[in-house]
Amino acid sequence: MADARAPGRQLRVETHGLDVIGDADRKGTPRTLFWPWFGANVSVLGISYGAFALGFGISFRQALAAGVLGILASFLLCGLVAVAGKRGSAPTMVLSRAAYGVRGNRLPSVVSWVLTVGWETVLVALATMATATVFARLGRGGGTGTEVAALIAVCVLTVVGGVAGFDLIMRLQTVITVVTGVLTVGYVVLVAGHIHWATVRAIPSGSAQQFIGALVFVMTGFGLGWVNAAADYSRYLPRASSSRGVVGWTAVGGSVAPLLLLVFGLLLAGSSAPLDKAIAADPIGALTTILPTWFLIPFAVVAVLGLVGGAVLDIYSSGLALLSAGLPVPRYLAALADGVLMTAGAVYIVFFADDFLGEFTGFLTTLGVPIAAWCGIMLADLALRRRDYDEADLYRPAGRYGDVPLLPLLLTLAATAFGWGLVTNTAASWLTWQGYLLAPLGLGGRSGAWAYANLGVLAALALGFLGTVALGRARVRSQENPPARTP
């Protein structure tokens, strides 16, 4: 990985797209992975996840266990996928061509693109709403005009970072890490007095099904939402880099801030039912209601920078996913096109959507199922390989990885169909068709105890992994030991 902080290194628009990173450009150590992952996940949105987890009807201790397990497990998945980057020197959604074939990989690439565009849209919308809330409390706007101005500013920051590419992202994430880290500590100190431990302890416990639902929701909201981009930064590391280091620094960088923020969010939301409810409508802006006026501007800075940090990584990876899906344009134009869609989606959320949390939950669980299936297949395929990728064949339909192999595609479709049958979201009207397997499998139907356990995400992950291990071993061996070519 290039050292973006090296003196004298000039910023420039990255020209790399789906191409392999040459050995001359592969620099750094696994430790440098800490910066982009920490900067992308230090957002105060992590505090709001405390309210989201408690919303499943579980106690503080249950929510704490679900949050810790969900964050650690999901970012461990990211770390494992990131190993493919240093073994193959290409973006995540190019490396998965080894499992899916060169053109067969377009299916998961499209899903990955939709997920990352959706995430960057949500983050930009939240930054816009938080800014408007701050200015409303200051008595200096907060209406439509403020929202429009904030939306433009946040979109410009995000698109510039995504279009410029790796060097600017690495510098930006380092700044975001420091600034947001300091200001977030200031926020915690200022509002700590609003925590009432007796009230938190009095929250009744929920069922095992509710606990599982919260666990899966946290997984999809954190690491599982990043797995499809996990190798986009490790591809810049030298091939000799430690695989354990890649896994460890990716997982640590991604999880350390969310873990601390989630715990504080649980204590804060558990201490106040009105605040808990307000976060569902405006996850970031609601956190300003307990702040002294003089800290509102610093809070706006930390909120916007933290959310932009995540959105920048998303728009960078969404552009790569769009290229992998077959769009024949330079990387920076793909990122720019995604920026246009991101802006349009943010406009809808800010100005027209009525139920943010319902739509957000539906988005996470619905796309979390096929991404989990892809992740299972990708991890199993990586585990079965004993050699590095043949980089040239990742781009040749007639190469060792094939063009459109049926096994991984059918396995993905089957795992997704099975997974969607085990998830529900009644708050989003466009998702009422899901959960069709809950009744046939004796799980109580769409209104039963298992309706909101989100079992479909875990099922898709397991089916993708186990199916590939059981059925894909011979295919991987034939790829790594192809018959000799006749002259």
Side-chain angles (χ1 to χ4, degrees):
M1 181 178 296
D3 184 1
R5 295 167 290 167
R9 184 180 177 90
Q10 295 182 348
L11 288 174
R12 61 185 184 276
V13 175
E14 181 186 358
T15 57
H16 289 300
L18 298 185
D19 53 311
V20 170
I21 304 301
D23 288 339
D25 293 325
R26 295 167 66 102
K27 302 176 183 178
T29 65
R31 186 176 301 172
T32 57
L33 293 173
F34 176 86
W35 297 105
W37 291 110
F38 186 90
N41 291 282
V42 73
S43 166
V44 291
L45 180 60
I47 296 176
S48 299
Y49 268 86
F52 298 160
L54 291 174
F56 280 84
I58 55 180
S59 68
F60 168 78
R61 289 184 175 83
Q62 288 177 311
L64 178 61
V68 171
L69 289 174
I71 290 171
L72 291 178
S74 62
F75 278 112
L76 178 60
L77 295 178
C78 285
L80 293 171
V81 172
V83 173
K86 71 108 177 177
R87 291 179 62 179
S89 318
T92 314
M93 296 314 297
V94 170
L95 296 169
S96 71
R97 290 175 178 178
Y100 282 88
V102 175
R103 288 193 296 175
N105 190 63
R106 291 180 178 179
L107 172 64
S109 293
V110 169
V111 175
S112 173
W113 174 70
V114 174
L115 178 65
T116 46
V117 170
W119 260 114
E120 67 203 42
T121 300
V122 166
L123 295 176
V124 166
L126 287 175
T128 301
M129 292 189 291
T131 303
T133 301
V134 166
F135 276 88
R137 280 206 60 197
L138 289 171
R140 299 179 182 177
T144 302
T146 303
E147 291 175 331
V148 170
L151 180 61
I152 292 173
V154 171
C155 286
V156 168
L157 279 174
T158 302
V159 172
V160 167
V163 169
F166 179 78
D167 280 348
L168 180 59
I169 288 174
M170 290 300 291
R171 293 193 186 189
L172 183 63
Q173 296 298 74
T174 303
V175 173
I176 288 174
T177 297
V178 175
V179 175
T180 54
V182 171
L183 293 179
T184 300
V185 170
Y187 176 86
V188 169
V189 171
L190 288 172
V191 303
H194 291 269
I195 294 174
H196 305 291
W197 179 238
T199 304
V200 174
R201 289 183 59 187
I203 300 174
S205 298
S207 64
Q209 294 92 330
Q210 291 169 310
F211 171 81
I212 294 172
L215 169 67
V216 177
F217 179 77
V218 171
M219 289 183 65
T220 55
F222 286 102
L224 200 55
W226 286 111
V227 289
N228 54 312
D232 291 353
Y233 301 93
S234 57
R235 65 182 174 136
Y236 284 88
L237 291 175
R239 298 178 192 278
S241 299
S242 165
S243 294
R244 289 185 178 180
V246 171
V247 175
W249 283 107
T250 299
V252 169
S255 62
V256 64
L259 283 172
L260 297 174
L261 293 171
L262 178 91
V263 172
F264 187 73
L266 288 171
L267 292 170
L268 208 56
S271 300
S272 171
L275 177 62
D276 191 9
K277 183 178 180 180
I279 288 174
D282 187 357
I284 305 297
L287 299 176
T288 68
T289 59
I290 54 177
L291 275 174
T293 304
W294 66 267
F295 196 76
L296 289 176
I297 293 298
F299 177 83
V301 172
V302 69
V304 171
L305 283 181
L307 294 167
V308 166
V312 166
L313 259 66
D314 275 319
I315 197 170
Y316 179 77
S317 294
S318 69
L320 294 174
L322 190 56
L323 296 180
S324 183
L327 186 68
V329 299
R331 182 205 60 79
Y332 60 88
L333 287 182
L336 187 61
D338 287 349
V340 173
L341 292 175
M342 171 194 75
T343 303
V347 167
Y348 168 75
I349 293 176
V350 173
F351 298 105
F352 301 102
D354 296 324
D355 178 17
F356 170 81
L357 185 57
E359 300 289 341
F360 180 53
T361 303
F363 163 74
L364 285 182
T365 54
T366 299
L367 289 184
V369 170
I371 285 296
W374 170 87
C375 182
I377 291 172
M378 180 71 177
L379 289 177
D381 181 83
L382 184 63
L384 290 172
R385 296 188 183 278
R386 298 294 178 264
R387 302 178 182 178
D388 288 346
Y389 297 99
D390 185 309
E391 293 163 354
D393 279 355
L394 289 171
Y395 302 87
R396 297 193 308 112
R400 70 182 66 200
Y401 302 121
D403 191 13
V404 188
L406 289 180
L407 173 62
L409 293 173
L410 292 176
L411 187 57
T412 301
L413 294 175
T416 300
F418 187 77
W420 278 341
L422 297 176
V423 298
T424 60
N425 188 285
T426 56
S429 59
W430 52 284
L431 295 175
T432 54
W433 55 271
Q434 294 178 346
Y436 44 80
L437 293 178
L438 290 168
L441 294 180
L443 298 175
R446 291 186 175 95
S447 59
W450 289 98
Y452 300 101
N454 295 325
L455 287 177
V457 176
L458 298 178
L461 178 66
L463 285 174
F465 184 86
L466 295 176
T468 302
V469 169
L471 303 175
R473 188 180 301 273
R475 179 170 176 265
V476 171
R477 291 292 170 265
S478 67
Q479 291 174 355
E480 296 194 321
N481 300 283
R485 298 176 183 174
T486 56

